Each structure stands twice: as C-alpha cells, then as structure tokens.
C-alpha cells in the first residue's frame, strides 16, 4: 500500500474514528489487550504507525478510548431501556436485563471487548489510582435497578443480587457466542430465570422511593 493510498483513509477526526473502530475489532478477535499492537492497528486502518501515534501517544491511551466509547454506548442502551419502562421497579429491571442481553447478542464483538477481553482492567488501561473504570457506570445502572426492587431493609443485598444477575446474563451471552452450536434455550427464558432471585426478594405492593 502506498503512502498516497494511506492518506486517502482520512486524517484528523475521521482517521481517529477509523483507528478506534479497527482497534475494537482487533481486540474482539484477539481477546487480550496484551496481544494488541499499535503496528497491527495501523496496518488494519491502512495507515502508518506514526499516523496512529499522532492521535494516541501509546497503546494504553488507545485502549482507554476504545473501552470508554464502547461502555458509553452500552450504558446508554441500559439507561434508555430503564426510562422506557418507567414505573414498576421490577419491570424496569427486566427491561434493563433484556437490553443487556440484546446488546450482547447483536454486537458480540463489542460485548467481548467489554466483558471478555483479558487485561482490560484499571492496570491494563493505565488508569490513575482511584480512577473509575469505564464500566463502572453500567454496573451502577444494574445495582441501582436491583436496589429499587427491594424494601429499604433489604437493600443491603442489592450488590450481591446484582452481581448474581450480572453473572447469569453474562453467561447467557458469552456461552452463546463461544458455543453457538449448543441447543440454547430462548434468551427470554434465561432472562426470566436470572431474575428469579430478585423477584423473590422483592416485596409485594408499591415500594418506597430510595433516598437520593
């Protein structure tokens, strides 16, 4: 590929978007941030490595943007589902769970970047000590939704119940992605089962609002 062809790939903001997109795709394929190289990203984007470094000083900077942008999209999907199902807290949680599974199954590559890529934690992303991981906001959506389903006295269990729900939803997605030939139950059936513990812990009747 000639330098002329590389320049036709775009410059500035356009090239930045291309680099983020191909880095996302490569990370989904590799499954490990340690295996991703700036040279490979440049080759996939059809540009030289220095062109990538003009937008991202190092791999950690690129990874932070990739993970942050994908998590921002994912969190928005969960929040939009919650708003659309405004009213009953259990109905909101169910809508969030369905949005979670739908997002993972419709965009398996993005999902694997967020939840299956190795070394994509705070250290792998080069986050400052104490800085929030880009995935913290989406997890808070889930914990808050579970908490809203519980009585004030039972909200101390929200973290455990939300983590259990997350593990179940993740398994329903990741196993389908990695074992597509298995005769899997319908996603809705697995979601209903995953919500069983929260439903059992949710008291009947209207729940008081959580304190701000």
């Amino acid at each position: 590929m000639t330098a002329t062809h590389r320049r036709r790939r775009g410059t500035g903001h356009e090239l930045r978007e291309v680099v983020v997109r191909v880095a996302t795709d490569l990370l989904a394929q590799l499954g490990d941030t340690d295996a991703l190289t700036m040279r490979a990203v440049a080759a996939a984007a059809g540009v030289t490595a220095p062109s990538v470094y003009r937008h991202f000083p190092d791999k950690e900077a690129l990874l932070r943007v990739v993970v942050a942008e994908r998590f921002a999209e994912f969190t928005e999907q969960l929040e939009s589902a919650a708003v659309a199902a405004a009213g009953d807290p259990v109905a909101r949680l169910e809508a969030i769970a369905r949005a979670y599974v739908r997002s993972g199954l419709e965009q398996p590559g993005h999902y694997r970047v967020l939840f299956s890529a190795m070394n994509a934690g705070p250290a792998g992303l080069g986050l400052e000590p104490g800085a929030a991981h880009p995935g913290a906001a989406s997890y808070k959506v889930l914990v808050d939704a579970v908490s809203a389903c519980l009585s004030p006295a039972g909200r101390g269990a929200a973290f455990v119940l939300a983590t259990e729900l997350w593990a179940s939803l993740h398994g329903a997605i990741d196993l389908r992605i990695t074992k597509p030939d298995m005769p899997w139950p319908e996603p809705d059936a697995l979601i209903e089962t995953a919500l069983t513990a929260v439903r059992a812990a949710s008291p009947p009747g209207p729940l008081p609002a959580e304190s701000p």
Side-chain angles (χ1 to χ4, degrees):
M1 180 176 290
T2 66
T4 300
H5 285 156
R6 289 189 177 108
R7 283 197 296 272
R8 286 175 183 170
R9 291 283 183 169
T11 58
H13 183 69
E14 179 186 351
L15 177 55
R16 183 183 184 279
E17 290 183 343
V18 171
V19 169
V20 172
R21 184 174 69 249
V22 300
T24 300
D25 292 342
L26 285 173
L27 185 55
Q29 296 168 19
L30 296 168
D32 188 345
T33 62
D34 286 351
L36 184 72
T37 67
M38 297 292 266
R39 186 177 296 278
V41 171
V47 298
T48 62
S51 297
V52 175
Y53 281 108
R54 277 196 288 273
H55 294 275
F56 303 98
D58 52 40
K59 186 174 76 170
E60 289 179 345
L62 174 57
L63 287 171
R64 284 195 296 272
V65 172
V66 167
V67 174
E69 290 192 2
R70 298 290 77 78
F71 261 120
E73 292 175 355
F74 181 69
T75 303
E76 183 179 2
Q77 291 170 345
L78 301 188
E79 291 175 337
S80 296
V83 170
D88 176 57
V90 176
R92 284 202 304 273
L93 179 61
E94 181 179 340
I96 290 170
R98 292 184 188 283
Y100 185 112
V101 172
R102 182 170 60 250
S103 176
L105 295 181
E106 290 179 354
Q107 296 182 300
H110 286 187
Y111 184 84
R112 300 208 73 191
V113 167
L114 298 182
F115 295 107
S116 299
M118 296 178 63
N119 301 306
L125 299 182
L127 298 179
E128 294 292 330
H133 188 275
S138 62
Y139 187 57
K140 185 177 186 301
V141 170
L142 188 62
V143 174
D144 288 350
V146 169
S147 181
C149 296
L150 308 175
S151 68
R155 284 172 184 159
F159 175 72
V160 172
L161 288 170
T163 303
E164 180 184 41
L165 176 59
W166 176 29
S168 296
L169 298 177
H170 173 71
I173 297 168
D174 199 57
L175 286 171
R176 278 178 180 270
I177 294 172
T178 57
K179 303 288 188 294
D181 296 329
M182 285 283 291
W184 297 108
E186 288 299 312
D188 283 352
L190 294 175
I191 292 170
E192 284 299 315
T193 300
L195 290 167
T196 299
V198 177
R199 291 186 188 278
S202 179
L207 288 165
E210 290 188 89
S211 299

